[in-house]
Amino acid sequence: MTVTVDTAGHLYVADRSNNRVLQYDRPLASQVADRVFGQGGSFASNTCNLGGTSTSSLCLPLGIAVDSGRHLYVADRNNSRVLEYDSPLASQDADRVFGHGESFTHNDCRLGGVNASSLCVATGMAVDRAGHLYIADQANNRVLEYDSPLAPQTPDRPADRVLGQGGSFNGFELLVRHTPGYRRQTGPQLPGFRIQTTLAPGFPYTASNRRRSGPARLRWQVSDGSPRTLSSRRPASPGWPFSRFLAMT
């Protein structure tokens, strides 16, 4: 959600292209913002990560949410994190961060790999009546749920549940593209993994057969040295040059 209202009627607007969130005390009486998040208190600036990635910076904020206690959550998309503000009317510096452990200075996608603590392109979130936080982790094709998001900051701050990956926090989807004449693998890389792609039997890449596409297979090797092979979910074809794979650590 890009617009939300707290229990006191204060309005928050995610002004994503200006890399900021605007807050209005009395939106029905005045359409001039009273507070700004992400720009060091300046209404005249629109810099992504003004002064560097920090508790006060934002870069393309896409979603905002407010809980019953008026705590503000901002999905800081291009920094692959969610920021939480305990008292947003008093301070525009975040108190908690999700997606980067306890660091406010990182903006890595999948910091430390795909796990219960990382995010990649956080696009939105919601808070239910019990205070549980849900984060849309777009590039990891999942939603993470936190039972106690207001608990004290910890080095990892892991989610309690994951939706969209069969219950695994370490699952990720690879997109493998095959084009005539060469092979290329695109998608996330994890520390300790060696990933390569091959075509299924009957579709070899040879000098005389470079224009053919076919079902692909993904061979991946985890850090313990044991090879694993997963078949594609959908065969590649001239009209659909992608094969999707689900890999688990």
Side-chain angles (χ1 to χ4, degrees):
M1 176 175 272
T2 56
V3 176
T4 193
V5 180
D6 69 15
T7 55
H10 302 121
L11 173 68
Y12 295 87
V13 178
D15 186 10
R16 63 179 181 179
S17 294
N18 284 322
N19 300 299
R20 65 184 185 177
V21 169
L22 298 178
Q23 185 273 335
Y24 302 78
D25 284 345
R26 297 182 299 161
L28 300 184
S30 173
Q31 287 72 58
V32 178
D34 295 281
R35 294 169 183 83
V36 59
F37 299 78
Q39 296 300 320
S42 172
F43 289 97
S45 173
N46 65 353
T47 303
C48 165
N49 291 329
L50 180 67
T53 309
S54 67
T55 59
S56 61
S57 70
L58 292 171
C59 191
L60 203 73
L62 279 190
I64 49 179
V66 179
D67 67 12
S68 59
R70 303 181 192 172
H71 302 102
L72 174 66
Y73 295 89
V74 176
D76 192 9
R77 181 194 184 277
N78 281 15
N79 285 325
S80 293
R81 66 182 185 176
V82 167
L83 299 177
E84 183 275 333
Y85 304 77
D86 283 346
S87 305
L89 300 184
S91 172
Q92 287 72 62
D93 286 343
D95 295 280
R96 294 174 181 82
V97 60
F98 300 81
H100 294 129
E102 58 184 352
S103 172
F104 288 95
T105 59
H106 283 101
N107 61 1
D108 306 66
C109 165
R110 304 184 184 96
L111 181 66
V114 182
N115 53 55
S117 302
S118 65
L119 293 171
C120 189
V121 188
T123 55
M125 72 258 114
V127 185
D128 66 18
R129 293 182 180 180
H132 304 124
L133 174 66
Y134 299 83
I135 297 177
D137 189 12
Q138 182 182 27
N140 285 326
N141 301 296
R142 63 185 186 176
V143 170
L144 298 181
E145 184 273 337
Y146 302 78
D147 286 345
S148 305
L150 298 178
Q153 187 78 51
T154 61
D156 53 354
R157 186 170 286 281
D160 294 282
R161 294 172 184 83
V162 58
L163 295 83
Q165 294 297 325
S168 172
F169 288 102
N170 304 112
F172 65 95
E173 220 173 44
L174 281 174
L175 206 57
V176 181
R177 183 183 180 90
H178 300 285
T179 54
Y182 92 118
R183 293 168 288 178
R184 188 179 74 180
Q185 177 268 321
T186 60
Q189 298 285 345
L190 295 182
F193 278 67
R194 187 179 66 194
I195 301 173
Q196 66 182 50
T197 61
T198 60
L199 288 179
F203 296 92
Y205 270 103
T206 64
S208 61
N209 192 23
R210 289 185 176 180
R211 289 193 172 89
R212 301 190 65 177
S213 297
R217 304 189 73 180
L218 173 70
R219 186 178 187 277
W220 57 288
Q221 187 168 344
V222 294
S223 55
D224 64 5
S226 57
R228 316 282 178 86
T229 300
L230 300 176
S231 296
S232 65
R233 292 181 178 178
R234 179 176 179 177
S237 67
W240 177 258
F242 295 98
S243 294
R244 292 184 181 273
F245 301 89
L246 181 64
M248 299 289 193
T249 57

Tab-separated table of all heavy atoms in Angstrom, residues 53-95:
chain	number	residue	atom	x	y	z
A	53	THR	N	23.331	5.020	2.687
A	53	THR	CA	22.304	4.158	3.270
A	53	THR	C	22.388	4.222	4.789
A	53	THR	O	23.429	3.919	5.374
A	53	THR	CB	22.472	2.710	2.800
A	53	THR	OG1	22.583	2.682	1.380
A	53	THR	CG2	21.293	1.854	3.231
A	54	SER	N	21.285	4.612	5.433
A	54	SER	CA	21.318	4.845	6.875
A	54	SER	C	19.911	4.719	7.462
A	54	SER	O	18.969	4.318	6.765
A	54	SER	CB	21.865	6.246	7.170
A	54	SER	OG	20.956	7.230	6.697
A	55	THR	N	19.770	5.097	8.720
A	55	THR	CA	18.463	5.067	9.385
A	55	THR	C	17.524	6.126	8.830
A	55	THR	O	16.305	6.032	9.018
A	55	THR	CB	18.623	5.300	10.900
A	55	THR	OG1	19.257	6.581	11.110
A	55	THR	CG2	19.463	4.217	11.540
A	56	SER	N	18.067	7.114	8.156
A	56	SER	CA	17.239	8.228	7.677
A	56	SER	C	17.070	8.262	6.167
A	56	SER	O	16.390	9.146	5.645
A	56	SER	CB	17.839	9.564	8.137
A	56	SER	OG	19.139	9.736	7.623
A	57	SER	N	17.671	7.314	5.447
A	57	SER	CA	17.607	7.339	3.985
A	57	SER	C	16.543	6.396	3.447
A	57	SER	O	16.113	5.452	4.111
A	57	SER	CB	18.963	6.963	3.397
A	57	SER	OG	19.249	5.593	3.622
A	58	LEU	N	16.117	6.676	2.221
A	58	LEU	CA	15.188	5.818	1.495
A	58	LEU	C	15.580	5.825	0.022
A	58	LEU	O	16.191	6.783	-0.462
A	58	LEU	CB	13.737	6.313	1.627
A	58	LEU	CG	13.065	6.228	2.997
A	58	LEU	CD1	11.727	6.963	2.980
A	58	LEU	CD2	12.873	4.773	3.409
A	59	CYS	N	15.194	4.737	-0.677
A	59	CYS	CA	15.404	4.684	-2.116
A	59	CYS	C	14.241	3.919	-2.751
A	59	CYS	O	14.156	2.702	-2.617
A	59	CYS	CB	16.741	4.020	-2.458
A	59	CYS	SG	17.198	4.192	-4.196
A	60	LEU	N	13.349	4.646	-3.366
A	60	LEU	CA	12.142	4.110	-3.994
A	60	LEU	C	11.253	3.364	-2.991
A	60	LEU	O	11.019	2.162	-3.128
A	60	LEU	CB	12.493	3.201	-5.164
A	60	LEU	CG	11.381	3.036	-6.208
A	60	LEU	CD1	11.223	4.307	-7.036
A	60	LEU	CD2	11.672	1.866	-7.136
A	61	PRO	N	10.747	4.031	-1.978
A	61	PRO	CA	9.826	3.369	-1.043
A	61	PRO	C	8.505	3.051	-1.737
A	61	PRO	O	7.875	3.933	-2.312
A	61	PRO	CB	9.642	4.414	0.057
A	61	PRO	CG	9.871	5.727	-0.623
A	61	PRO	CD	10.938	5.458	-1.648
A	62	LEU	N	8.101	1.783	-1.681
A	62	LEU	CA	6.903	1.351	-2.405
A	62	LEU	C	5.695	1.132	-1.512
A	62	LEU	O	4.567	1.312	-1.950
A	62	LEU	CB	7.198	0.059	-3.178
A	62	LEU	CG	7.905	0.190	-4.516
A	62	LEU	CD1	7.897	-1.142	-5.229
A	62	LEU	CD2	7.241	1.235	-5.392
A	63	GLY	N	5.916	0.699	-0.296
A	63	GLY	CA	4.788	0.364	0.560
A	63	GLY	C	4.938	0.941	1.945
A	63	GLY	O	6.064	1.139	2.431
A	64	ILE	N	3.816	1.236	2.589
A	64	ILE	CA	3.822	1.725	3.965
A	64	ILE	C	2.663	1.085	4.721
A	64	ILE	O	1.647	0.721	4.146
A	64	ILE	CB	3.716	3.262	4.043
A	64	ILE	CG1	2.576	3.767	3.156
A	64	ILE	CG2	5.019	3.923	3.653
A	64	ILE	CD1	2.404	5.270	3.201
A	65	ALA	N	2.856	0.926	6.006
A	65	ALA	CA	1.814	0.379	6.872
A	65	ALA	C	1.995	0.952	8.266
A	65	ALA	O	3.103	1.294	8.673
A	65	ALA	CB	1.892	-1.150	6.916
A	66	VAL	N	0.888	1.057	8.990
A	66	VAL	CA	0.901	1.534	10.367
A	66	VAL	C	0.112	0.552	11.215
A	66	VAL	O	-0.982	0.128	10.822
A	66	VAL	CB	0.290	2.949	10.489
A	66	VAL	CG1	0.305	3.417	11.937
A	66	VAL	CG2	1.041	3.935	9.620
A	67	ASP	N	0.657	0.154	12.368
A	67	ASP	CA	-0.063	-0.769	13.244
A	67	ASP	C	-0.942	-0.009	14.228
A	67	ASP	O	-1.015	1.231	14.201
A	67	ASP	CB	0.903	-1.721	13.946
A	67	ASP	CG	1.826	-1.020	14.938
A	67	ASP	OD1	1.579	0.157	15.267
A	67	ASP	OD2	2.804	-1.651	15.391
A	68	SER	N	-1.597	-0.754	15.098
A	68	SER	CA	-2.523	-0.130	16.044
A	68	SER	C	-1.826	0.775	17.048
A	68	SER	O	-2.461	1.650	17.653
A	68	SER	CB	-3.318	-1.211	16.789
A	68	SER	OG	-2.436	-2.087	17.486
A	69	GLY	N	-0.520	0.565	17.228
A	69	GLY	CA	0.248	1.411	18.135
A	69	GLY	C	0.893	2.591	17.438
A	69	GLY	O	1.711	3.300	18.023
A	70	ARG	N	0.522	2.811	16.160
A	70	ARG	CA	1.018	3.917	15.332
A	70	ARG	C	2.497	3.795	14.978
A	70	ARG	O	3.148	4.784	14.664
A	70	ARG	CB	0.737	5.277	15.983
A	70	ARG	CG	-0.721	5.533	16.273
A	70	ARG	CD	-0.927	6.914	16.894
A	70	ARG	NE	-2.282	7.042	17.417
A	70	ARG	CZ	-2.702	8.074	18.147
A	70	ARG	NH1	-1.864	9.067	18.424
A	70	ARG	NH2	-3.936	8.113	18.586
A	71	HIS	N	3.029	2.586	15.041
A	71	HIS	CA	4.374	2.352	14.523
A	71	HIS	C	4.298	2.329	13.004
A	71	HIS	O	3.403	1.712	12.424
A	71	HIS	CB	4.938	1.028	15.035
A	71	HIS	CG	4.988	0.926	16.522
A	71	HIS	ND1	4.055	0.210	17.241
A	71	HIS	CD2	5.837	1.459	17.429
A	71	HIS	CE1	4.340	0.295	18.531
A	71	HIS	NE2	5.420	1.046	18.674
A	72	LEU	N	5.252	2.962	12.363
A	72	LEU	CA	5.268	3.066	10.907
A	72	LEU	C	6.260	2.075	10.308
A	72	LEU	O	7.389	1.945	10.781
A	72	LEU	CB	5.656	4.488	10.492
A	72	LEU	CG	5.871	4.748	8.994
A	72	LEU	CD1	4.574	4.601	8.221
A	72	LEU	CD2	6.494	6.123	8.784
A	73	TYR	N	5.820	1.375	9.253
A	73	TYR	CA	6.689	0.471	8.492
A	73	TYR	C	6.773	0.978	7.055
A	73	TYR	O	5.754	1.337	6.452
A	73	TYR	CB	6.132	-0.959	8.474
A	73	TYR	CG	6.084	-1.633	9.823
A	73	TYR	CD1	4.968	-1.502	10.647
A	73	TYR	CD2	7.136	-2.426	10.269
A	73	TYR	CE1	4.913	-2.123	11.889
A	73	TYR	CE2	7.087	-3.069	11.499
A	73	TYR	CZ	5.971	-2.906	12.304
A	73	TYR	OH	5.912	-3.529	13.529
A	74	VAL	N	7.986	0.999	6.509
A	74	VAL	CA	8.200	1.454	5.132
A	74	VAL	C	8.980	0.396	4.364
A	74	VAL	O	10.062	-0.025	4.804
A	74	VAL	CB	8.968	2.792	5.093
A	74	VAL	CG1	9.256	3.190	3.648
A	74	VAL	CG2	8.190	3.890	5.805
A	75	ALA	N	8.438	-0.042	3.225
A	75	ALA	CA	9.148	-0.966	2.341
A	75	ALA	C	10.090	-0.153	1.469
A	75	ALA	O	9.663	0.536	0.539
A	75	ALA	CB	8.158	-1.747	1.485
A	76	ASP	N	11.370	-0.237	1.778
A	76	ASP	CA	12.419	0.529	1.099
A	76	ASP	C	12.939	-0.332	-0.055
A	76	ASP	O	13.963	-0.999	0.062
A	76	ASP	CB	13.519	0.855	2.109
A	76	ASP	CG	14.505	1.879	1.610
A	76	ASP	OD1	14.263	2.478	0.553
A	76	ASP	OD2	15.528	2.085	2.291
A	77	ARG	N	12.245	-0.303	-1.173
A	77	ARG	CA	12.415	-1.274	-2.254
A	77	ARG	C	13.850	-1.427	-2.744
A	77	ARG	O	14.404	-2.524	-2.751
A	77	ARG	CB	11.530	-0.894	-3.440
A	77	ARG	CG	11.626	-1.872	-4.615
A	77	ARG	CD	11.016	-1.296	-5.879
A	77	ARG	NE	11.024	-2.261	-6.960
A	77	ARG	CZ	12.074	-2.493	-7.753
A	77	ARG	NH1	13.208	-1.829	-7.548
A	77	ARG	NH2	11.998	-3.385	-8.722
A	78	ASN	N	14.450	-0.338	-3.187
A	78	ASN	CA	15.769	-0.449	-3.805
A	78	ASN	C	16.891	-0.709	-2.810
A	78	ASN	O	18.028	-0.971	-3.206
A	78	ASN	CB	16.076	0.800	-4.625
A	78	ASN	CG	15.387	0.765	-5.979
A	78	ASN	OD1	14.479	-0.028	-6.207
A	78	ASN	ND2	15.794	1.633	-6.884
A	79	ASN	N	16.580	-0.642	-1.530
A	79	ASN	CA	17.549	-1.019	-0.506
A	79	ASN	C	17.271	-2.415	0.041
A	79	ASN	O	17.945	-2.856	0.979
A	79	ASN	CB	17.543	0.001	0.636
A	79	ASN	CG	18.234	1.298	0.250
A	79	ASN	OD1	19.209	1.292	-0.487
A	79	ASN	ND2	17.718	2.416	0.740
A	80	SER	N	16.286	-3.101	-0.538
A	80	SER	CA	15.951	-4.480	-0.136
A	80	SER	C	15.786	-4.603	1.378
A	80	SER	O	16.355	-5.502	2.022
A	80	SER	CB	17.020	-5.461	-0.637
A	80	SER	OG	16.998	-5.545	-2.045
A	81	ARG	N	14.988	-3.710	1.947
A	81	ARG	CA	14.774	-3.731	3.390
A	81	ARG	C	13.426	-3.112	3.737
A	81	ARG	O	12.782	-2.463	2.907
A	81	ARG	CB	15.885	-2.951	4.105
A	81	ARG	CG	15.886	-1.459	3.797
A	81	ARG	CD	17.021	-0.713	4.479
A	81	ARG	NE	16.926	0.734	4.269
A	81	ARG	CZ	17.747	1.626	4.814
A	81	ARG	NH1	18.740	1.214	5.596
A	81	ARG	NH2	17.587	2.921	4.572
A	82	VAL	N	13.007	-3.352	4.961
A	82	VAL	CA	11.830	-2.688	5.534
A	82	VAL	C	12.292	-1.960	6.786
A	82	VAL	O	13.004	-2.532	7.613
A	82	VAL	CB	10.709	-3.687	5.860
A	82	VAL	CG1	9.636	-3.037	6.745
A	82	VAL	CG2	10.086	-4.224	4.582
A	83	LEU	N	11.912	-0.710	6.917
A	83	LEU	CA	12.272	0.097	8.082
A	83	LEU	C	11.053	0.288	8.985
A	83	LEU	O	9.930	0.408	8.503
A	83	LEU	CB	12.796	1.469	7.643
A	83	LEU	CG	14.056	1.477	6.780
A	83	LEU	CD1	14.408	2.901	6.371
A	83	LEU	CD2	15.223	0.826	7.508
A	84	GLU	N	11.320	0.307	10.291
A	84	GLU	CA	10.246	0.526	11.267
A	84	GLU	C	10.591	1.737	12.125
A	84	GLU	O	11.732	1.903	12.562
A	84	GLU	CB	10.054	-0.709	12.146
A	84	GLU	CG	8.903	-0.615	13.143
A	84	GLU	CD	9.300	0.079	14.455
A	84	GLU	OE1	10.509	0.024	14.800
A	84	GLU	OE2	8.413	0.652	15.129
A	85	TYR	N	9.574	2.580	12.369
A	85	TYR	CA	9.740	3.802	13.158
A	85	TYR	C	8.818	3.721	14.368
A	85	TYR	O	7.597	3.623	14.228
A	85	TYR	CB	9.387	5.031	12.322
A	85	TYR	CG	10.150	5.166	11.030
A	85	TYR	CD1	9.809	4.392	9.912
A	85	TYR	CD2	11.213	6.055	10.900
A	85	TYR	CE1	10.512	4.509	8.713
A	85	TYR	CE2	11.914	6.185	9.704
A	85	TYR	CZ	11.548	5.409	8.616
A	85	TYR	OH	12.235	5.528	7.423
A	86	ASP	N	9.408	3.758	15.572
A	86	ASP	CA	8.609	3.660	16.792
A	86	ASP	C	7.694	4.869	16.976
A	86	ASP	O	6.515	4.727	17.303
A	86	ASP	CB	9.518	3.533	18.017
A	86	ASP	CG	10.104	2.143	18.181
A	86	ASP	OD1	9.613	1.206	17.518
A	86	ASP	OD2	11.051	1.989	18.958
A	87	SER	N	8.236	6.061	16.798
A	87	SER	CA	7.503	7.311	17.015
A	87	SER	C	7.698	8.217	15.804
A	87	SER	O	8.454	9.195	15.861
A	87	SER	CB	7.987	7.998	18.289
A	87	SER	OG	7.901	7.138	19.409
A	88	PRO	N	7.027	7.908	14.699
A	88	PRO	CA	7.281	8.642	13.458
A	88	PRO	C	6.937	10.128	13.509
A	88	PRO	O	7.465	10.905	12.706
A	88	PRO	CB	6.406	7.909	12.435
A	88	PRO	CG	5.356	7.228	13.245
A	88	PRO	CD	6.025	6.845	14.526
A	89	LEU	N	6.076	10.524	14.446
A	89	LEU	CA	5.757	11.949	14.547
A	89	LEU	C	6.852	12.717	15.277
A	89	LEU	O	6.969	13.934	15.126
A	89	LEU	CB	4.426	12.153	15.267
A	89	LEU	CG	3.195	11.511	14.609
A	89	LEU	CD1	1.943	11.882	15.381
A	89	LEU	CD2	3.080	11.914	13.149
A	90	ALA	N	7.664	11.988	16.045
A	90	ALA	CA	8.730	12.639	16.813
A	90	ALA	C	10.085	12.520	16.137
A	90	ALA	O	10.929	13.409	16.252
A	90	ALA	CB	8.803	12.046	18.216
A	91	SER	N	10.319	11.413	15.424
A	91	SER	CA	11.622	11.194	14.798
A	91	SER	C	11.440	10.502	13.459
A	91	SER	O	10.651	9.551	13.343
A	91	SER	CB	12.512	10.331	15.697
A	91	SER	OG	13.702	9.962	15.024
A	92	GLN	N	12.178	10.948	12.472
A	92	GLN	CA	12.122	10.351	11.139
A	92	GLN	C	13.312	9.427	10.885
A	92	GLN	O	13.618	9.083	9.743
A	92	GLN	CB	12.051	11.451	10.081
A	92	GLN	CG	10.697	12.149	10.004
A	92	GLN	CD	10.434	13.067	11.193
A	92	GLN	OE1	11.172	14.030	11.408
A	92	GLN	NE2	9.393	12.771	11.952
A	93	ASP	N	13.968	9.009	11.955
A	93	ASP	CA	15.025	8.000	11.884
A	93	ASP	C	14.448	6.643	12.288
A	93	ASP	O	13.760	6.540	13.316
A	93	ASP	CB	16.189	8.346	12.814
A	93	ASP	CG	17.040	9.486	12.281
A	93	ASP	OD1	16.939	9.787	11.079
A	93	ASP	OD2	17.794	10.074	13.068
A	94	ALA	N	14.733	5.623	11.502
A	94	ALA	CA	14.181	4.295	11.769
A	94	ALA	C	14.788	3.681	13.028
A	94	ALA	O	15.950	3.933	13.366
A	94	ALA	CB	14.422	3.380	10.577
A	95	ASP	N	13.987	2.866	13.707
A	95	ASP	CA	14.435	2.174	14.919
A	95	ASP	C	14.773	0.718	14.667
A	95	ASP	O	15.574	0.124	15.392
A	95	ASP	CB	13.340	2.259	15.989
A	95	ASP	CG	13.086	3.681	16.446
A	95	ASP	OD1	13.863	4.185	17.269
A	95	ASP	OD2	12.115	4.296	15.960
